[in-house]
């Protein structure tokens, strides 16, 4: 640059006085400060003084200056050139620092966005290790505490290993919440420098760093950057851990809720019939002579009915257990729905004694492939509910028809119906619309079993309310097996 300035100055010398030529050299100093910084521009400054003196100040082509005016000019040239190179190089380094800061901020921002999107802890740790390694140009390892103590969760590059001294230093770092390992005063014999990854509540993990010859030799700005990265990572790790805790807590609460529901229902449903049985049996035993035949008959009937109720309840519990363990394997046979309805109604005769039952089955129903035992249990549970939840003397309607390859079976009652918000939930285990309803014994299992069985048979069940007045409807849809119509004809012939 000074050479170029010298060329220009020699040309200008033909037209201008030599003091003006100094400005050309000043331009060269300024340009070198902008392009290369302080030291190259000071060197340029030195060369300029020499060239200016040698080629332009009298006596020419010597390094001596005789004219006092020229001495002053040279002196001020030096002062101005040094100030210019200083100021310009400072502005340059500020501009460089600002653009580096902007790049770092942008990278940190991208990193924080990446962390916000990470749901999985492994993804998050990998992103953190990669980011620290690429921004600080160091080898990185991340350790988190687990059931068996502190363990390496990820690293960049991924194949780094640690020996016992390293693990001990890392553990110390986590416990004491301060830097340990090489380059620190605490256990400097380790191969890594360990720094805690911490939130306001303490260290959540440890980051290990290693440079060319182990000691990462972090500069202050690198340390600040590392702190920014590890703070962000710490928050994200805590967020993922908290989410996992919430899930665990929800699961525990759900299990507790089920256990409480089960215990409440068992204690009620076992104790009520047992108390009646015990009461009746005790009366029969202690006052055998005092009871007339009718009273004795009544008590024996109570014992039988309550024992049957107990039996149903335990049957329900067993069915539910079989469903949950996946032990339900339907024994499918070809059956006539009307026969099945008939036998279910017979089984429910006692329960339905106080109701009128109306059966409206379409005449041309195809034969269905069903497990007789399972489907009869479904019908039984539905009829039992209809009897329980509709007033004595009301009508229960059983309907079935066939369309588009599906048979639709409906059971309608004249009870209070089901609140719209509960239409789905009543099929949940242990769910009862009126949980505290002690008047009507129930476990909240009946409909859950119905849905489990119907789905095992390839059908579906849904609940609704009647459109022609009050009352609930339960609709079961079952597929008509292929070739079912021919089978009916064969049977007919
Ligand atoms: P439960 O043993 O309580 O009858 P279910 O699983 O059979 O258990 O039924 C769940 C809940 O659905 C019942 O507690 C009841 O509130 C509601 N429900 C079932 N059937 C009917 C119906 N026919 N009419 C009104 N509500 C019903």
């Amino acid at each position: 640059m000074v050479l170029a300035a010298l060329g220009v100055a020699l040309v200008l010398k033909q037209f201008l006085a030599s003091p003006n030529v100094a400005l050309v050299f000043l331009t060269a100093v300024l340009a070198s400060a902008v392009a290369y910084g302080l030291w190259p521009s000071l060197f340029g400054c030195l060369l300029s003084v020499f060239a200016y003196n040698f080629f332009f100040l009298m006596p020419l082509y010597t390094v001596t200056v005789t004219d006092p005016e020229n001495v002053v000019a040279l002196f001020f040239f030096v002062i101005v050139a040094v100030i210019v190179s200083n100021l310009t190089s400072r502005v340059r380094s500020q501009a460089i620092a600002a653009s580096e800061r902007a790049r770092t901020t942008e990278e940190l921002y991208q990193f924080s966005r990446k962390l916000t999107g990470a749901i999985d802890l492994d993804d998050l740790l990998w992103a953190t290790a990669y980011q620290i390694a690429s921004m600080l140009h160091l080898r990185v390892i991340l350790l988190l505490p687990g059931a068996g103590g502190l363990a390496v969760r990820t690293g960049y590059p991924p194949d780094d290993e640690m020996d016992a001294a390293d693990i001990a230093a890392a553990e110390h770092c986590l416990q004491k919440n301060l830097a340990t390992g090489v380059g620190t005063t605490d256990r400097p014999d380790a191969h890594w420098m360990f720094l805690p990854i911490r939130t306001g509540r303490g260290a959540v993990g440890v980051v290990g760093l290693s440079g060319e010859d182990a000691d990462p030799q972090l500069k202050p700005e690198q340390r600040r950057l590392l702190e920014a990265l590890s703070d962000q990572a710490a928050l994200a790790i805590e967020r993922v851990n908290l989410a996992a805790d919430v899930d665990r807590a929800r699961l525990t609460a759900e299990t507790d809720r089920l256990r409480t529901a089960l215990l409440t229902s068992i204690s009620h449903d076992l104790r009520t019939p047992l108390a009646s049985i015990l009461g009746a049996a005790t009366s029969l035993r202690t006052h055998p002579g005092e009871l007339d035949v009718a009273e004795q008959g009544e008590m024996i009937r109570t014992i039988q009915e309550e024992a049957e109720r107990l039996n149903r309840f335990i049957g329900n519990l067993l069915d539910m257990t079989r469903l949950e363990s996946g032990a339900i394997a339907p024994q499918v046979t070809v059956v006539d729905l009307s026969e099945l309805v008939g036998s279910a109604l017979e089984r429910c005769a006692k329960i339905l004694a106080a109701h009128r039952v109306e059966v409206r089955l379409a005449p041309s129903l195809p034969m269905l492939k069903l497990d007789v035992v399972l489907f009869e249990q479904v019908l039984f549970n539905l009829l039992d509910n209809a009897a329980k939840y509709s007033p004595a003397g009301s009508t229960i309607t059983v309907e079935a028809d066939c369309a588009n390859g599906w048979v639709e079976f409906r059971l309608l009652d004249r009870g209070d119906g089901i609140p719209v918000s509960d239409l789905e939930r009543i099929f949940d285990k242990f769910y009862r619309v009126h949980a505290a309803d002690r008047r009507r014994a129930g476990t909240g299992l009946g409909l859950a079993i119905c849905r489990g069985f119907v789905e095992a048979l390839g059908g579906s069940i849904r609940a609704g309310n009647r459109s022609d007045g009050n009352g609930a409807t339960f609709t079961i849809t079952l597929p008509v097996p292929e070739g079912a119509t021919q089978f009916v004809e064969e049977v007919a012939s």
Side-chain angles (χ1 to χ4, degrees):
M1 282 185 183
V2 175
L3 263 181
L6 177 63
V8 175
L10 285 174
V11 175
L12 288 179
K13 191 183 164 190
Q14 320 290 329
F15 319 103
L16 298 173
S18 57
N20 294 329
V21 166
L23 290 176
V24 180
F25 287 104
L26 213 53
T27 312
V29 173
L30 187 82
S32 62
V34 168
Y36 309 112
L38 182 62
W39 293 107
S41 76
L42 283 180
F43 180 60
C45 188
L46 197 75
L47 288 181
S48 301
V49 168
F50 175 76
Y52 182 46
N53 179 7
F54 195 80
F55 292 100
F56 300 94
L57 298 184
M58 294 307 229
L60 287 183
Y61 313 119
T62 63
V63 286
T64 49
V65 191
T66 44
D67 189 349
E69 211 175 294
N70 283 345
V71 173
V72 172
L74 201 60
F75 175 72
F76 280 107
F77 175 81
V78 171
I79 301 260
V80 170
V82 169
I83 291 175
V84 161
S85 62
N86 250 304
L87 287 180
T88 315
S89 62
R90 196 172 305 163
V91 168
R92 175 180 181 269
S93 55
Q94 277 172 358
I96 291 173
S99 84
E100 256 171 30
R101 266 202 303 279
R103 215 186 60 231
T104 310
T105 311
E106 171 64 20
E107 280 190 42
L108 279 175
Y109 173 66
Q110 294 299 349
F111 177 56
S112 79
R113 286 191 49 170
K114 213 186 287 172
L115 290 192
T116 317
I119 310 163
D120 185 52
L121 190 58
D122 287 329
D123 290 349
L124 189 131
L125 294 175
W126 169 254
T128 307
Y130 173 77
Q131 193 74 20
I132 297 177
S134 64
M135 284 182 90
L136 298 183
H137 307 290
L138 294 170
R139 293 197 343 249
V140 178
I141 209 155
L142 290 179
L143 302 99
L144 289 197
L150 200 59
V152 176
R153 289 295 294 263
T154 193
Y156 194 90
D159 48 358
D160 269 321
E161 288 197 350
M162 297 186 18
D163 60 23
D166 294 331
I167 294 276
E171 270 168 0
H172 202 64
C173 166
L174 185 74
Q175 280 157 16
K176 296 277 181 255
N177 198 5
L178 43 82
T180 62
V182 63
T184 70
T185 49
D186 196 332
R187 299 169 192 249
D189 51 331
H191 301 99
W192 297 79
M193 174 190 274
F194 294 105
L195 297 161
I197 304 176
R198 52 189 158 203
T199 62
R201 302 198 301 170
V204 291
V206 171
V207 53
L209 300 172
S210 160
E212 286 289 289
D213 47 355
D215 187 354
Q217 288 166 344
L218 292 177
K219 295 190 208 81
E221 71 269 14
Q222 283 185 313
R223 207 170 245 272
R224 275 199 299 279
L225 181 59
L226 179 67
E227 270 166 20
L229 289 169
S230 79
D231 282 353
Q232 286 192 19
L235 284 179
I237 293 170
E238 199 168 56
R239 173 175 58 77
V240 171
N241 284 345
L242 279 179
D245 284 351
V246 168
D247 276 352
R248 255 196 304 276
R250 193 178 301 139
L251 203 67
T252 318
E254 176 78 357
T255 319
D256 280 352
R257 200 179 63 79
L258 282 183
R259 193 176 303 137
T260 316
L262 181 64
L263 283 179
T264 324
S265 102
I266 287 183
S267 57
H268 177 259
D269 287 270
L270 286 182
R271 291 187 68 189
T272 317
L274 272 180
S276 312
I277 294 171
L278 218 67
T282 315
S283 307
L284 281 176
R285 187 146 181 246
T286 45
H287 318 284
E290 296 165 30
L291 299 171
D292 60 29
V293 178
E295 280 171 332
Q296 282 186 13
E298 175 66 18
M299 286 190 177
I300 290 169
R301 201 169 59 83
T302 305
I303 292 177
Q304 189 187 353
E305 273 177 9
E306 294 299 316
E308 279 169 1
R309 205 168 118 190
L310 261 183
N311 195 26
R312 276 205 304 278
F313 171 70
I314 289 167
N316 264 350
L317 276 184
L318 286 179
D319 283 342
M320 201 66 232
T321 325
R322 281 167 64 210
L323 258 180
E324 299 231 299
S325 64
I328 296 281
Q331 307 284 318
V332 184
T333 49
V334 179
V335 289
D336 181 355
L337 189 62
S338 55
E339 268 176 32
L340 257 179
V341 171
S343 63
L345 285 173
E346 220 168 275
R347 217 179 117 196
C348 293
K350 245 191 263 165
I351 298 168
L352 294 172
H355 290 78
R356 247 169 47 79
V357 179
E358 193 182 28
V359 181
R360 289 203 299 240
L361 304 181
S364 57
L365 281 181
M367 303 293 272
L368 294 176
K369 279 189 175 163
L370 291 176
D371 180 318
V372 182
V373 181
L374 295 192
F375 198 70
E376 208 186 285
Q377 187 61 43
V378 172
L379 296 186
F380 180 88
N381 286 0
L382 291 181
L383 287 167
D384 183 35
N385 276 350
K388 266 195 304 193
Y389 300 108
S390 65
S394 63
T395 306
I396 295 171
T397 313
V398 179
E399 292 178 352
D401 50 36
C402 174
N404 306 325
W406 294 88
V407 167
E408 204 173 81
F409 173 90
R410 287 179 298 275
L411 197 127
L412 306 95
D413 62 43
R414 283 284 175 206
D416 294 335
I418 301 154
V420 178
S421 57
D422 286 323
L423 285 177
E424 258 310 300
R425 287 161 75 190
I426 53 170
F427 290 98
D428 289 350
K429 269 178 296 172
F430 301 117
Y431 186 80
R432 308 194 68 202
V433 176
H434 303 288
D437 189 353
R438 289 271 166 267
R439 207 158 39 87
R440 292 176 275 207
T443 54
L445 281 177
L447 290 179
I449 292 170
C450 287
R451 176 160 275 178
F453 282 3
V454 170
E455 285 178 358
L457 295 171
S460 65
I461 179 168
R462 61 178 194 277
N465 287 305
R466 292 180 78 146
S467 49
D468 59 339
N470 60 330
T473 59
F474 284 86
T475 310
I476 299 176
T477 316
L478 295 163
V480 176
E482 273 175 37
T485 351
Q486 287 97 312
F487 186 82
V488 176
E489 280 163 9
E490 274 169 34
V491 170
S493 63

